[in-house]
Every structure is written in structure tokens, then in C-alpha cells.
Amino acid sequence: MSMESLSILPQITITRSFVSEKTRTRTPFKRTPPKFLELPRGPSESKYLFRRKLCLSNGNGEIRRIPHVLGDRDGVIIVDHGSRRKESNLMLNDFVAMFREKTGYPIVEPAHMELAEPSIRDAFVSCVQQGADRVIVSPFFLFPGRHWHQDIPSLAAEAAKEHPDVSYIVTAPLGLHDLLVDVVNDRIKHCLNHVAGDADECAACAGTSKCRLY
């Protein structure tokens, strides 16, 4: 006959009893559970995946994930395709300034995948020089095409080789996000208002005279 009893909080107590024909033994022992449990990392996981942690909830004993948040030593790179048109490249700088101001993240750098500077490598170096030990490469692209699947990860990996102590991740593109519906709808309404003479050109097409009926 065997019997086991388990108590989770505030400590784990396991008592086992074993009965044989000759003797009866009781072996109690106690162990305080660790606050955090590290999940093992397989050999196929690359270094730019965040380390995964679990914590024991003090509410109902359930195991749940700790959300990852950006800190002072995280660098963010907003990377677009890049253009031969100077005005288009400068708009990325404006967006990065808006992003930095609204989020409060201290290290945010622009980068162009090709055709213009700064490159992903340049932005990576700038983040590290400002104290980043983790870099988040965020593609300013709508959908996961070849640039997201191949080009940007390849360029990010090449840039990271020079900084072996810095981890990084390439995040998802904008994709099918609910807020993009509002953005597209706002653009449509603004352009129609401009054509009707009720609004100025927006920053995207200012000075181009492209926003008109044909």
C-alpha cells in the first residue's frame, strides 16, 4: 500500500508511506518551490528568441507566463524598405520620432533595408552604443513577404555577428491589425475632403499634387 499527500502553498510537503509484511516506514521531506522555473532551450533555438520564463501564481496556484516588456536596455529598430526618393526616407525619421515620443522607449532607431542609409547594421550599432543589450527589429511592412521571410532576418543576423553578447528578434510585420482599418479609412476620408477643397494635402503627398480626381 502507498499513500501520497501534496500541498502547494506556502511550501510543498510530500509524505510517502510504504507497508510491507515486516516493516512500516514513513519518509517525510519538505521542499520550497522556486519562484521561477526556466524552460529548457533546445539546440535548434537561435539566440534571438527571448528567454522564456514561467512563474507560480500566488492566487490559485496556476502556472502562467511572465509578460515581456521593453526596458531601458532594449533598442528598437524600425526598418522600412528604403527608397531612392529622399522625401520618402525622411518620413521614416518622422515616424520614429513620433514612435519614440508616444511610447517613451529611450532607444529607437530608423533603418532602411536597402537603397538608403542608415542600414540595419548602422541602426544595430547605434542601439548597442546607446547601451542596448537586446535589439527588437520591427519591420515597417504590411505583410510577410520575401523581405520579412528572408532579407531582413539575414541582414539582422549579419549585423548581430559583431555583437555576440546582444540578443535580438525580428518581429512580425503590421499584418491584419484592426487599427489599420481605421488608418486606411482615415486616409480615404482625408483625400476625399482634400479633393472637395475642405482639407489640405496630408504629409504623405504634400507638394506632389497626386491627390486629385482623374
Side-chain angles (χ1 to χ4, degrees):
M1 179 184 70
S2 66
M3 180 272 290
E4 296 185 359
S5 64
L6 177 64
S7 174
I8 297 295
L9 296 176
Q11 62 184 7
I12 294 177
T13 302
I14 301 177
T15 303
R16 295 181 179 177
S17 297
F18 303 91
V19 178
S20 64
E21 294 181 357
K22 296 182 179 180
T23 62
R24 178 189 298 268
T25 61
R26 181 179 295 271
T27 308
F29 65 93
K30 297 181 179 180
R31 181 172 65 87
T32 301
K35 186 175 181 181
F36 297 101
L37 301 177
E38 291 281 357
L39 290 179
R41 302 178 68 191
S44 63
E45 290 184 320
S46 56
K47 72 172 186 176
Y48 58 81
L49 293 177
F50 291 157
R51 295 185 67 189
R52 296 175 295 173
K53 288 186 177 181
L54 296 178
C55 73
L56 293 178
S57 167
N58 57 8
N60 53 18
E62 293 180 353
I63 294 179
R64 63 187 182 188
R65 290 189 181 278
I66 299 175
H68 288 284
V69 295
L70 271 71
D72 292 340
R73 302 199 65 183
D74 286 316
V76 178
I77 298 175
I78 308 293
V79 54
D80 70 356
H81 184 280
S83 173
R84 292 185 176 88
R85 185 172 180 267
K86 180 180 178 181
E87 291 79 6
S88 298
N89 295 325
L90 291 177
M91 286 191 70
L92 180 64
N93 295 345
D94 294 337
F95 176 79
V96 166
M98 292 168 55
F99 183 86
R100 185 187 297 112
E101 180 179 359
K102 188 165 185 177
T103 61
Y105 300 151
I107 307 175
V108 185
E109 293 294 325
H112 307 291
M113 188 189 72
E114 60 183 8
L115 301 177
E117 301 292 336
S119 64
I120 291 176
R121 178 185 177 277
D122 295 334
F124 206 105
V125 170
S126 180
C127 287
V128 174
Q129 289 176 344
Q130 294 176 69
D133 58 14
R134 182 174 68 175
V135 174
I136 295 92
V137 181
S138 179
F140 200 37
F141 287 71
L142 276 178
F143 302 117
R146 188 193 70 183
H147 292 323
W148 180 78
H149 278 284
Q150 300 178 15
D151 300 332
I152 293 176
S154 177
L155 292 168
E158 191 66 26
K161 286 181 180 179
E162 303 175 18
H163 311 280
D165 296 329
V166 177
S167 60
Y168 75 98
I169 182 173
V170 178
T171 66
L174 300 178
L176 299 177
H177 198 292
D178 288 344
L179 293 179
L180 285 177
V181 175
D182 297 331
V183 173
V184 172
N185 192 34
D186 182 75
R187 280 286 181 247
I188 291 173
K189 290 180 178 180
H190 186 92
C191 288
L192 291 177
N193 287 333
H194 171 68
V195 169
D198 297 330
D200 295 331
E201 287 182 313
C202 68
C205 56
T208 65
S209 300
K210 295 290 186 182
C211 188
R212 59 188 176 90
L213 288 176
Y214 293 88

